[in-house]
Amino acid sequence: MTERFRFQLLARDGLARRGEIFTPRGTIRTPAFMPVGTVATVKALYPEQVRDAGADILLGNTYHLMLRPGAERMARLGGLHKFMRWEKPILTDSGGFQVMSLSKIRKINEEGALFQSHLDGSRHMLTPERAIEIQCLLGSDIQMQLDECIELPSERREVERAMELSLRWAERSRRAFEAQQASGGAGPGQAMFGIVQGGTDAELRRRSAEALVAMDLEGYAVGGLAVGEGHDLMLATLDATLPSLPETKPRYLMGVGTPLDLIEAVRRGIDMFDCVLPTRNGRHGLAFTWNGPVNLRNAVHAEDTSPLDEASTCPAARDYSRAYLHHLIRSGEYLGAMLLSWVNTAFYQELMAAMRAAIEDERFEAWAEETKVRIARK
């Protein structure tokens, strides 16, 4: 592990960017979509399937892993990569979002977030320092600061309060990460990203971004979106935020999203994404294809012998009939969820590869308009 973390821009087309993130565990081609491996598994898929689909990096969840099997246990077992047999890079979120959304009770103060586990009711204190410590014990390549996530819409004063608290936590996270590096708990190839907050308020977003940039972090995420504000407002918030972030660092839009969301965010200069949508929709019978989404629960597929996409490189999309997939989903068979999660994971990686190629060929705008029409078909 000799390669240090660094980001290189290779091509631009308008604001869309094609780049590479170098880490000791491999290169991440951007724009990149990270499949979500919440509890050390991308649901319903083998790690080999995720790798072969084209994923360069996946996401693990600090909150879930700290509760089960536990960060210290994970370290004793050799870290998250070894535990789940994934040799490529892993990004871990800080756990803040799950504390806000999943815990039975929570109390936020300057120190951190006191919460009660959704598993067994045990109480835990998650501070910025502990969030970084957990992520170092997991061994993740990219670690996220602890931030406070709030529901939208909220009063501006509440959005500002949470944004300012998140900035103070970012500084504490930065100091904790540097201490881990000094003590050997974090390696030279690992990185910590800050998270821009501020709701949909352009001025608050700019203030948050500028303060984080002054901390000179390795990358910057845009958090607190895709929480009900709507597609157009999300894009307007990106338009207001991204000019304040440096072009020389990766930009990560957290928890997003649909294929249309990804195309429009790349168009504005986002480099990285994660979302549960591909696997969650697959488990519920919805497949993403180049000719639009396909709901395999619908009876129209009951006698359709054609595959989802005969030109796909994914065997699940290419080799199984729609009739069979419909039967599996309607019967509640595990294999249905497995095959459609595979289909969607592969499609998202194909989508990112197509965007990278379009940027390199300086035809992103034309490609985006053609593709948006194509994938919106029903």
Side-chain angles (χ1 to χ4, degrees):
M1 295 177 66
T2 58
E3 176 76 76
R4 288 182 176 269
F5 184 96
R6 60 188 178 94
F7 176 61
Q8 179 179 5
L9 274 175
L10 301 176
R12 289 185 179 89
D13 188 6
L15 296 177
R17 298 141 53 94
R18 162 78 174 100
E20 290 180 335
I21 299 171
F22 298 95
T23 80
R25 286 193 171 90
T27 300
I28 304 160
R29 298 164 293 175
T30 66
F33 181 85
M34 299 180 284
V36 175
T38 302
V39 290
T41 173
V42 179
K43 291 189 189 308
L45 293 175
Y46 295 111
E48 294 81 2
Q49 289 175 301
V50 180
R51 180 198 64 207
D52 294 346
D56 293 331
I57 178 173
L58 55 77
L59 179 142
N61 186 272
T62 293
Y63 169 88
H64 288 283
L65 293 171
M66 70 176 280
L67 295 179
R68 185 173 58 193
E72 281 74 16
R73 174 175 290 173
M74 185 73 76
R76 292 194 297 271
L77 293 170
L80 182 55
H81 295 81
K82 182 178 180 180
F83 187 63
M84 66 179 297
R85 296 186 68 249
W86 177 262
E87 297 179 353
K88 293 187 175 188
I90 295 175
L91 180 149
T92 46
D93 60 16
S94 68
F97 178 80
Q98 285 74 29
V99 166
M100 313 309 164
S101 63
L102 293 181
S103 62
K104 295 177 181 177
I105 62 169
R106 60 184 183 272
K107 182 179 179 181
I108 308 299
N109 57 32
E110 191 68 31
E111 182 183 1
L114 177 67
F115 68 95
Q116 186 175 353
S117 166
H118 73 289
L119 295 176
D120 59 10
S122 58
R123 292 173 182 265
H124 303 264
M125 185 67 180
L126 188 63
T127 65
E129 293 79 9
R130 177 58 177 162
I132 292 297
E133 180 186 24
I134 292 168
Q135 293 178 81
C136 287
L137 289 168
L138 297 176
S140 53
D141 303 277
I142 301 176
Q143 305 179 14
M144 305 303 299
Q145 70 152 105
L146 184 66
D147 62 331
E148 182 183 359
C149 307
I150 63 172
E151 297 180 0
L152 295 178
S154 292
E155 294 289 334
R156 188 181 191 276
R157 62 178 177 273
E158 174 65 8
V159 176
E160 183 175 23
R161 182 204 59 77
M163 182 272 285
E164 294 286 0
L165 178 62
S166 294
L167 285 177
R168 295 192 294 275
W169 284 0
E171 178 59 34
R172 288 169 57 189
S173 297
R174 182 187 66 80
R175 292 198 300 266
F177 185 74
E178 289 176 350
Q180 288 284 345
Q181 287 180 311
S183 67
Q190 293 174 297
M192 193 203 92
F193 284 16
I195 304 175
V196 179
Q197 289 289 354
T200 56
D201 187 292
E203 192 268 332
L204 293 180
R205 286 283 176 175
R206 283 192 292 269
R207 279 171 49 190
S208 177
E210 289 169 1
L212 288 169
V213 171
M215 297 180 198
D216 193 26
L217 305 173
E218 296 288 356
Y220 302 93
V222 180
L225 293 177
V227 291
E229 76 280 355
H231 177 77
D232 292 341
L233 197 49
M234 178 187 75
L235 296 181
T237 304
L238 289 179
D239 289 334
T241 303
L242 294 182
S244 298
L245 296 179
E247 294 218 346
T248 56
K249 302 288 182 74
R251 302 164 176 172
Y252 164 29
L253 179 56
M254 305 181 77
V256 175
T258 68
L260 176 61
D261 290 336
L262 269 57
I263 291 171
E264 289 296 341
V266 166
R267 175 181 258 156
R268 287 161 169 79
I270 290 291
D271 305 302
M272 302 171 68
F273 304 88
D274 80 280
C275 191
V276 298
L277 203 60
T279 47
R280 177 178 289 171
N281 279 7
R283 295 195 304 275
H284 290 88
L286 184 71
F288 291 104
T289 79
W290 285 103
N291 291 306
V294 179
N295 187 346
L296 272 306
R297 290 189 173 276
N298 290 346
V300 67
H301 304 294
E303 297 186 18
D304 188 342
T305 59
S306 64
L308 282 169
D309 183 355
E310 61 185 11
S312 176
T313 58
C314 176
R318 184 189 64 226
D319 299 340
Y320 294 86
S321 72
R322 296 179 184 221
Y324 183 55
L325 296 171
H326 167 78
H327 162 71
L328 292 174
I329 293 298
R330 291 297 294 267
S331 300
E333 288 291 336
Y334 296 144
L335 183 58
M338 293 169 65
L339 289 174
L340 292 185
S341 295
W342 190 7
V343 167
N344 290 346
T345 297
F347 173 79
Y348 267 60
Q349 295 304 324
E350 290 175 0
L351 181 67
M352 305 315 292
M355 284 197 268
R356 293 192 294 266
I359 295 168
E360 289 175 351
D361 295 341
E362 297 184 343
R363 55 181 180 87
F364 183 80
E365 283 299 319
W367 175 89
E369 291 308 310
E370 294 168 3
T371 303
K372 283 164 58 178
V373 172
R374 185 179 174 191
I375 64 177
R377 296 173 186 164
K378 293 185 179 180

